[in-house]
Amino acid sequence: MRTIDDLDVSGKRVFVRADLNVPLDGDRITDDGRIRAALPTIEKLRERGARVIVAAHLGRPKGAPEPRYSLRPVAARLGELLGADVAFAADTAGESARATSAALADGQVALLENVRFEPGETSKDDAERGELADRFAQLADLYVGDAFGAVHRRHASVFDLPGKLPHAVGGLVLTEVEVLRKLTDAPERPYAVVLGGSKVSDKLGVIDNLLGAADRLLIGGGMVFTFLKAKGYEVGSSLLEADQLDTVRGYLERAEREGVEIVLPVDVVAAEKFAADAPHAPVDVEAIPADRMGLDIGPRSQELFAAKLADTRTVFWNGPMGVFEMEPYAGGTRALAQSLIDSGAFTVVGGGDSAAAVRALGFDEAAFGHISTGGGASLEYLEGKDLPGIDALA
C-alpha cells in the first residue's frame, strides 16, 4: 500500500476519511480520543502544504440530516487541537462542501458534515454509492484512508472513493494493521485474549477464530452469563442469550479438545436492578440469586484474571468486565486494566468501550502497547475477514 510519503500533496486538495465518531452529551464531546488519534495524519499533510478536506461519520443517522449527529462540535474541537481554524461545510457533498473545498489555501483544513447524512454513503446499491463517491471525488485531487474504525464497512467514502482518486493509506490505519498482524502472524506466547461486553453474539466469529490461535480466553462482561448458563449455573436475571447456549457449549468442548484454556469468573457483583444505587454484593457464580443480575466480575475473579495474565507476553482485550459507567460496577474493568499494565505483556486494547473505559477510569494510555480506534474493525480483522476499506487502499 502507498503511504502519504508516496504522494505529492503540496497545493493539492486531499480528501481524508477519518474516524471522528466521538460520544456526545448534547453538543459536548465526552471523549475526544478519536479526534486526537486523527491528528498526526492531518498535521503531516498540513505541514507538507496540502489543502485538507476531512470527512467522517457520527452515530447512525438514517441517510438524512439530524441535528444531534452534526459534526459541528467536532470541527470546533479539531480546530482547538490543531491550533488552527477548521472550516466547516454545512453539507456533505453539495454546494457548501464544494465552496468550502475551493476556498482552502495550502495548509488549511476543512471538515465536511456527517457523511451518513447522505443515503448513498451506506447504501447496498453499488450505483448509489458510486454516485456519491463521484461527488466526493469532485472535491479533491487525492484520497487518504485513515478511518480504521470504518474499514470493515463497504461505504462510499471508505470503499468506493479510493477507486476514483490517487490514494494512500493514512498513518493511523497503517499502525493499526501492523499491530493486529502481531496478534495474528506470530504472537509472543503465552497469548491471552480477554473478551467482555454485553453479548456473545457480537463476538462469535472472533471466538471461533481465536480458539485456534490463543492460549487462553478470559471471559467477562454480560456475555459471561451465557457461558455460565451453558455450564449449568443459574444466572438469575442477568443478561442471557439463550439462543447461543448450544454454540457456547460447542466452544467449551472445542477449547478442551484443542488445549485452549477458557477462564470464567468465579464470582460476580449481583444487584437487585440495573442501577448504581441498587443493593448489590459479590456472590459466587454457583449461587447467583434468582432475583439478582450480575453487573461486574467480583473481587475473587479480579484476582484470578490477574494471575492468568501475569505470565503472558501478548494480550488482546475487547469489552469491559462490567457496567463500568456506574462506579459500583467499575471495579472489574479497573482491575483488569491494571493487570494488563502489571503483566508487562504487549497489550492491545481493542477500541470501542474498552478504549473508552481506559480513558474514563483515568489510566495513562501510554501504559498500554496499543489502543485501537476501531472495536468492530479489530474484531473482524482477528476473525480473519477481509476489510473492504483496507482492500480498497491496496
Side-chain angles (χ1 to χ4, degrees), residues 302-316:
Q302 294 171 23
E303 294 176 1
L304 172 64
F305 282 23
K308 293 294 183 179
L309 293 170
D311 69 339
T312 54
R313 300 305 304 149
T314 306
V315 184
F316 174 74

Side-chain angles (χ1 to χ4, degrees), residues 285-350:
V285 294
E286 297 94 338
I288 299 174
D291 61 346
R292 292 208 170 198
M293 62 178 63
L295 296 178
D296 194 13
I297 62 171
R300 288 173 52 229
S301 300
Q302 294 171 23
E303 294 176 1
L304 172 64
F305 282 23
K308 293 294 183 179
L309 293 170
D311 69 339
T312 54
R313 300 305 304 149
T314 306
V315 184
F316 174 74
W317 169 35
N318 181 277
M321 297 294 98
V323 188
F324 73 91
E325 298 90 345
M326 299 181 188
E327 180 54 36
Y329 319 119
T333 303
R334 184 181 289 112
L336 175 74
Q338 188 61 53
S339 296
L340 294 181
I341 295 170
D342 294 343
S343 73
F346 174 65
T347 53
V348 178
V349 181

Side-chain angles (χ1 to χ4, degrees), residues 48-98:
R48 294 179 56 198
R51 305 175 181 194
V52 185
I53 302 154
V54 182
H57 72 277
L58 181 66
R60 295 181 180 271
K62 304 302 182 183
E66 294 184 45
R68 63 180 173 147
Y69 292 129
S70 174
L71 282 169
R72 192 175 291 277
V74 175
R77 182 57 180 153
L78 179 60
E80 291 173 358
L81 292 169
L82 288 172
D85 290 338
V86 171
F88 183 68
D91 59 29
T92 301
E95 183 177 344
S96 179
R98 290 190 294 273

Side-chain angles (χ1 to χ4, degrees), residues 3 153 237 258 272 317 322 364 369-370:
T3 70
R153 307 294 189 191
S237 58
E258 298 188 9
E272 289 186 1
W317 169 35
D364 180 2
H370 178 71

Side-chain angles (χ1 to χ4, degrees), residues 38-308:
L39 291 178
T41 291
I42 295 170
E43 289 178 327
K44 188 171 188 178
L45 290 168
R46 287 186 66 215
E47 290 167 2
R48 294 179 56 198
R51 305 175 181 194
V52 185
I53 302 154
V54 182
H57 72 277
L58 181 66
R60 295 181 180 271
K62 304 302 182 183
E66 294 184 45
R68 63 180 173 147
Y69 292 129
S70 174
L71 282 169
R72 192 175 291 277
V74 175
R77 182 57 180 153
L78 179 60
E80 291 173 358
L81 292 169
L82 288 172
D85 290 338
V86 171
F88 183 68
D91 59 29
T92 301
E95 183 177 344
S96 179
R98 290 190 294 273
T100 302
S101 170
L104 288 176
D106 294 358
Q108 290 187 330
V109 179
L111 177 64
L112 306 178
E113 184 56 284
N114 194 333
V115 293
R116 291 187 181 173
F117 285 179
E118 288 274 356
E121 171 66 8
T122 60
S123 175
K124 297 188 183 306
D125 182 82
D126 292 349
E128 188 174 10
R129 289 198 321 274
E131 186 276 333
L132 176 57
D134 285 336
R135 286 193 280 139
F136 282 142
Q138 294 171 9
L139 303 176
D141 306 300
L142 305 168
Y143 175 90
V144 172
D146 209 34
F148 183 74
V151 293
H152 58 313
R153 307 294 189 191
R154 190 177 287 263
H155 290 173
S157 65
V158 175
F159 176 73
D160 300 271
L161 182 54
K164 299 178 183 294
L165 292 172
H167 56 266
V169 62
L172 185 151
V173 168
L174 196 62
T175 298
E176 294 273 12
V177 171
E178 288 174 348
V179 167
L180 290 173
R181 280 181 180 155
K182 291 182 181 180
L183 301 181
T184 55
D185 291 354
E188 284 194 61
R189 297 185 181 277
Y191 172 26
V193 174
V194 185
L195 296 177
S198 58
K199 294 182 178 181
V200 174
S201 54
D202 292 342
K203 307 284 198 306
L204 290 176
V206 75
I207 294 172
D208 188 65
N209 207 43
L210 288 171
L211 280 175
D215 300 303
R216 293 175 199 145
L217 263 65
L218 283 65
I219 309 292
M223 64 184 286
V224 79
F225 297 102
T226 304
F227 278 82
L228 293 173
K229 185 72 171 180
K231 287 177 70 71
Y233 297 123
E234 291 303 319
V235 297
S237 58
S238 305
L239 184 65
L240 174 66
E241 289 184 278
D243 60 334
Q244 299 298 336
L245 286 171
D246 286 343
T247 300
V248 168
R249 290 188 189 102
Y251 287 152
L252 292 169
E253 292 168 2
R254 183 179 155 202
E256 187 171 0
R257 286 196 311 270
E258 298 188 9
V260 177
E261 184 180 10
I262 292 187
V263 183
L264 301 177
V266 292
D267 63 345
V268 297
V269 178
E272 289 186 1
K273 60 181 179 178
F274 189 82
D277 59 354
H280 61 275
V283 298
D284 290 348
V285 294
E286 297 94 338
I288 299 174
D291 61 346
R292 292 208 170 198
M293 62 178 63
L295 296 178
D296 194 13
I297 62 171
R300 288 173 52 229
S301 300
Q302 294 171 23
E303 294 176 1
L304 172 64
F305 282 23
K308 293 294 183 179

